[in-house]
Structures are given as C-alpha cells and as structure tokens.
Amino acid sequence: MFSLNTVYQKLFACYGPQHWWPGETQFEVTIGAILAQNVSWSNAAKAIASLKANNLLTPHKLFKEDSVVIAHHIKPSGYYNQKAFAIQSFLQWFHRYDFSFDALNAIPTAILRKELLSIKRIGYETADSILLYALQRKVFVVDAYTRRIFTRVGFLTGNEDYMAIQAMFHEHFTGNTYDYNEFHALIVKHGKDRCTKKPACNECYIADVCKQYGLAK
Ligand code: SF4
C-alpha cells in the first residue's frame, strides 16, 4: 500500500517547492490567511496590496481603524464586511498579547489553536493556516482540494469531517513542519492544475497510485 509520504514525494518531485505562504512578515501572513478565505490568492493579494499602499498593514493601525475603512480596502478579497469583522476580532484577541508574535510563540500549539478557533469568523482552515504559515507550527491544513484529491486517490471516503482528515495526516504523514507547509501548497497546486473538477488524469503525476484514475467526473 502506498503512503501519504509517497504522494507527497511524487508531487514535490513534479511541481517542486511552492514557496508558501506569500508575505513579508508574520502579521502579513496572518492577515493573508484571513483574506484568502473562499477566494483565490490573487484576490487576497490585491487586498493586502491595498492595505499596504495605505500604510495600514500593522496591528496597531488596523486595530484603531474603522471597520468600514478596512472593508473598503479589502474589497478585492470578497466578503469584505465579514473579513473586516474577522480581522478586527483577531486583533482584539491579539491585543491581549500586546500584538507580539514572540508572546504567541510561547504558547503550546493545542492552546493556541483553541484560542484562535474561539475568535469569531476564524474557522479551522484559517486557524490552521495561521498556525502553520505564520507561526511555523506542525499543523496540517485541510481544504476542499485535500478532500477531493485524497478521496479520489483512495485515502478518504469523502464523508470525513475536517478534524478526521487532519488526524489522518497527523498520524500517517511523517514529514516535518517544512513538509507540512509544502504538502498543503502542493495539494492546492495539484487541485488547480490537474485534479480539477474534471481531472486531467492523463497528465497526472500520481496517476499510478490513484484509485480513480480515468474514472473521476
Ligand atoms: S489520476 Fe486523476 S483523479 Fe487521480 S489524482 Fe490524478 S487527476 Fe486526480
């Protein structure tokens, strides 16, 4: 039986390192994770660029800013009112730690995850993206591409919830934090380029380990 490690190695060999997550600072990566909810990265990037151009991309400035102004600047990311609310909810929580990522670094992952999930409009995928990409915690990020690809390949039935899928990766994928970072990014790449809704199985790099090769519709 092939393993998650095998799938990772094959995807890495074919697509190469993905250099995620874009962002110059931990704070930018965190805000990017919130803005990327339910949209392509290019739209989130436009919202980040707008915040930067208006000199707003710092915790102190965004914390003081009116939510209407934030919503205006992040319009390209879609769902901008909800995302402005999520950013402000995150900042109210982050303020308790004096906006210090060093303070967050001292908190055990399980506690930090629980706290992030207690913030309004921060769900599993966003919390885990912040943990993995902004805080370098070994936490697997699950998304719709993960579910689709690993159901087709044969690891999932398709009925598992987020936590069950994450638990499978935590139990069976033996990579380190760097590999967790790359694996999720490679899954997104594969889900966009090959294993799309109508998959390009004849061009697939993991076709030899996929149970749905040529069958998925
Ligand atoms: S063989 Fe087809 S269904 Fe399987 S992972 Fe590749 S693209 Fe997806």
Side-chain angles (χ1 to χ4, degrees), residues 17-173:
Q18 298 299 299
H19 307 294
W20 274 34
W21 181 295
E24 292 170 358
T25 65
Q26 286 176 291
F27 185 65
E28 185 175 330
V29 172
T30 300
I31 297 301
I34 294 171
L35 293 174
Q37 290 171 8
N38 302 313
V39 293
S40 66
W41 173 252
S42 61
N43 287 343
K46 285 178 196 159
I48 290 275
S50 174
L51 291 173
K52 265 188 182 170
N54 289 278
N55 204 22
L56 280 174
L57 199 54
T58 72
H60 294 88
K61 288 198 173 159
L62 276 180
F63 185 62
K64 284 185 199 150
E65 194 53 87
D66 191 273
S67 64
V68 175
V69 175
I70 298 174
H72 170 75
H73 287 298
I74 65 171
K75 258 189 182 170
S77 73
Y79 310 99
Y80 46 88
N81 287 322
Q82 293 98 316
K83 289 180 182 178
F85 181 77
I87 288 170
Q88 291 203 309
S89 299
F90 170 79
L91 288 167
Q92 277 163 14
W93 170 79
F94 196 22
H95 189 236
R96 282 193 248 149
Y97 295 99
D98 295 326
F99 300 137
S100 164
F101 280 95
D102 285 342
L104 299 190
N105 287 339
I107 304 172
T109 300
I111 294 172
L112 197 47
R113 187 173 194 265
K114 200 172 170 189
E115 291 202 18
L116 285 169
L117 288 172
S118 74
I119 300 169
K120 286 183 180 149
R121 297 204 175 273
I122 301 284
Y124 288 135
E125 188 181 338
T126 306
D128 289 337
S129 296
I130 293 170
L131 287 168
L132 177 62
Y133 290 104
L135 295 161
Q136 288 78 49
R137 302 300 176 99
K138 195 175 157 187
V139 172
F140 207 88
V141 179
V142 175
D143 65 357
Y145 295 121
T146 315
R147 183 187 299 280
R148 180 164 74 205
I149 293 168
F150 288 89
T151 300
R152 286 173 174 174
V153 170
F155 280 93
L156 301 171
T157 66
N159 295 320
E160 294 86 351
D161 64 14
Y162 186 103
M163 292 301 292
I165 297 172
Q166 186 183 62
M168 179 188 77
F169 279 88
H170 284 180
E171 189 176 347
H172 298 292
F173 179 52

